[in-house]
Amino acid sequence: MKPGGIIYVIIALMGLFFLYKLADMFSPGSYGHAELYELNYPEKKVIDAINNLKNTDAELRVPKVTIKNDGQFDLKDGKERSTDYWYKVYFYDKKNNQILFTWTRPSGSNTTTFAFVSINSGLDLGHWKDVNNDFGFFENREIKKNFEETILEKLKKNLERGL
């Protein structure tokens, strides 16, 4: 390859990288970086299975939280308003002392999107980091693997058993 050709290849690669980063800045939707999982069950069954999972595994229930270390309150699952598209669910990863924010949304009459959105370090809110955005490649991969083993696989088993 000629020396001038290498420059064109480098410029083209830099241009593609710039376009990728530009597109990433304008990710669509409120949760543009969330890791999405499709479940072949209606949303009501998914929510029931999540509730069952949290009722049978107390370590997944979020303890009382604070904001700026002031006051204590419960972080509640559900929709904040009747117009919300997402049923928000919070899990606690006791081993790592993290709150995991997820949501569900119907994607068809018998399918549901289950999204892993972000992680808050500790029980004091305000330290959220988005999955697929705020972590390095290898750390993000580990975080998703831990989520899939700790929550998603158990949820799928509950759904398969009809719980």
Side-chain angles (χ1 to χ4, degrees), residues 5 11 15 17 19 34 36-37 40-41 73 80 82 85 90 96 99 111-113 122 124 130 135 154 158 161:
I11 290 172
F17 179 75
L19 287 174
L36 305 178
Y37 302 92
N40 293 320
Y41 298 90
F73 63 95
E80 294 171 12
S82 61
Y85 293 109
Y90 299 91
N96 295 311
I99 300 170
T111 58
T112 301
T113 301
D124 186 51
D130 290 342
F135 300 98
K154 292 177 183 178
N158 273 1
R161 291 191 303 232

Side-chain angles (χ1 to χ4, degrees), residues 77-93:
D77 294 345
K79 294 185 176 191
E80 294 171 12
R81 297 170 299 278
S82 61
T83 57
D84 276 358
Y85 293 109
W86 310 277
Y87 185 91
K88 298 172 182 171
V89 182
Y90 299 91
F91 293 96
Y92 184 58
D93 180 351

Side-chain angles (χ1 to χ4, degrees), residues 8-68:
Y8 289 124
V9 169
I10 290 171
I11 290 172
L13 290 174
M14 287 174 54
L16 289 172
F17 179 75
F18 174 74
L19 287 174
Y20 168 77
K21 285 298 187 182
L22 185 64
D24 188 51
M25 287 173 38
F26 296 102
S27 295
S30 297
Y31 304 109
H33 296 287
E35 185 71 19
L36 305 178
Y37 302 92
E38 289 298 318
L39 302 173
N40 293 320
Y41 298 90
E43 185 184 36
K44 176 158 181 15
K45 285 191 178 189
V46 173
I47 292 169
D48 289 344
I50 288 170
N51 290 333
N52 180 275
L53 178 60
K54 290 174 83 170
N55 287 333
T56 58
D57 189 344
E59 291 192 354
L60 294 178
R61 281 185 253 146
V62 180
K64 294 218 180 274
V65 297
T66 60
I67 296 178
K68 295 186 180 180

Side-chain angles (χ1 to χ4, degrees), residues 95-149:
K95 181 178 76 173
N96 295 311
N97 189 30
Q98 297 173 326
I99 300 170
L100 311 177
F101 170 48
T102 67
W103 54 252
T104 68
R105 188 168 106 178
S107 53
S109 59
N110 289 314
T111 58
T112 301
T113 301
F114 182 51
F116 178 28
V117 181
S118 57
I119 296 174
N120 187 81
S121 296
L123 294 173
D124 186 51
L125 299 182
H127 309 283
W128 293 101
K129 289 187 176 182
D130 290 342
V131 174
N132 295 328
N133 187 46
D134 294 330
F135 300 98
F137 177 79
F138 294 108
E139 185 180 12
N140 194 67
R141 203 163 76 178
E142 272 304 306
I143 287 167
K144 290 190 294 188
K145 180 181 175 201
N146 180 56
F147 171 78
E148 290 166 1
E149 291 171 353

